[in-house]
Structures are given as structure tokens and as C-alpha cells.
Amino acid sequence: VKSNVTILNNFIVRPGVKYTLKITANPTDSLFIHNGIPVVSIAGKVWMRHNLGAPRNLDPDNNITTDIIGNYYKFGLKDPVANGNTSNTAITNWNTTNSGAKNSWNSGTINAPSKTNNDPCDNGFRIPTKPEYDNLLAATMVNRAGTLASPNYSLVLTSKINKNVRLTFPIAGFREIADGGL
């Protein structure tokens, strides 16, 4: 939050005169802590720096291990079904039918999202929409780190405004719908 506001010199407000105030806000991309959670602000949106379930004391840009992957979720469900350290084989007692409805995480629209009680994100955060991801990609330079066949493979999104602001997405694969295998 910035408090630097510049008003024209010699500006006088006269009673009974109608004024139009135009404010231009230029977001500054930055890294900071919000409610104890490491976050980045890119293009005016705040993103958590860690996947859900990943230890927040690990550097998400330089410690790409199975720990930083965090949790795996079935679409629309609040509880995780696995994490980065779960075996890559089939999961015992895997539920093949239980997934959430289309609006399980967002009861609003794609352009006006509304978090539901099923959304697994921390308070103050929610599952992003496709337009929000698209805006994030447009505001960043995308690079790949690590190797495809290793757990350290990731996408690194670097702010076009501030090169010190990065958001790293570990490429963690997905769990098979039939048996939960990775």
C-alpha cells in the first residue's frame, strides 16, 4: 500500500463547484507476506508462492523437490487425495466416482468468481480462473527450469515489470482417474 499522493500545486477547492477526480493506479509487482503467507503481486493480482500443502519455509524458486509440489486434488473437492511424496503407483481405495460439480470451487462466473466452501485455498485466496491465468501469463516472461523427467521440472513466471518477482509452478503431473496412479 502506497501513501504517496501528489496533488497539483495551488489547487483550490471552491464550494459549489463540481470537480471530476481521475485517479490512475499503476500496480507495482512485488514479493511480500500476506497474513503469514508468502505471496507475489503481479499485474494487480496476489498469488500464493507455494502450492497448497507445500511447506512455506521452502524457497519455491530454488528448492524444487517433491516436497514443494504440495497436494493433489480431485476437481471440485476440498480434501487432498495425494501429495508430492505419495507413491506414483495406484492409490489403495481410490474413489473413481467422487468428483465435484462444475461449480464446486466457483459459484460465480469465470469473470466474476465467487469462492465456495469446497475451495481448498486458505482464507483470502481462491482457485484462480482461466482469464486470471491468462492475465498472469501476459504479465510475465515464461521460462522452464529443470528437466522433464525429474521432480524439479517447473515453469518460472518472471514479472515483466520487476525481474525480482517470480512465481514458480512445479510441473507435478496428474493422478489418473481410474486408480490415482501418477
Side-chain angles (χ1 to χ4, degrees):
V1 174
K2 297 283 186 182
S3 59
N4 305 17
V5 177
T6 304
I7 298 182
L8 299 173
N9 292 335
N10 302 323
F11 178 74
I12 299 171
V13 176
R14 293 188 169 80
V17 176
K18 181 179 176 182
Y19 297 91
T20 300
L21 177 63
K22 293 182 180 178
I23 298 176
T24 302
N26 295 318
T28 303
D29 294 355
S30 60
L31 298 159
F32 60 101
I33 304 293
H34 175 71
N35 293 337
I37 299 172
V39 298
V40 297
S41 174
I42 297 177
K45 292 285 185 184
V46 176
W47 299 80
M48 292 173 60
R49 297 215 50 219
H50 295 83
N51 283 344
L52 295 174
R56 293 183 179 146
N57 63 326
L58 296 178
D59 180 348
D61 297 321
N62 297 308
N63 194 3
I64 308 301
T65 64
T66 54
D67 289 330
I68 205 75
I69 288 171
N71 295 335
Y72 290 83
Y73 295 84
K74 276 189 151 184
F75 181 84
L77 300 182
K78 185 173 186 123
D79 296 323
V81 295
N83 64 40
N85 292 309
T86 302
S87 168
N88 62 355
T89 59
I91 294 176
T92 305
N93 298 323
W94 179 260
N95 184 331
T96 60
T97 59
N98 192 13
S99 286
K102 183 178 179 181
N103 63 349
S104 294
W105 286 335
N106 176 10
S107 63
T109 67
I110 197 163
N111 294 314
S114 180
K115 180 177 178 167
T116 69
N117 289 334
N118 247 20
D119 186 318
C121 294
D122 293 61
N123 287 335
F125 296 91
R126 63 173 166 69
I127 301 291
T129 63
K130 182 170 182 335
E132 289 168 328
Y133 278 120
D134 292 343
N135 290 337
L136 175 65
L137 290 173
T140 57
M141 295 174 292
V142 180
N143 291 300
R144 287 163 178 74
T147 59
L148 185 58
S150 69
N152 67 346
Y153 184 60
S154 56
L155 289 180
V156 180
L157 308 179
T158 304
S159 164
K160 290 179 180 178
I161 293 173
N162 182 345
K163 307 296 185 245
N164 295 316
V165 176
R166 294 188 302 180
L167 188 56
T168 301
F169 286 102
I171 305 302
F174 62 92
R175 293 281 169 176
E176 292 289 344
I177 196 165
D179 63 8
L182 187 65

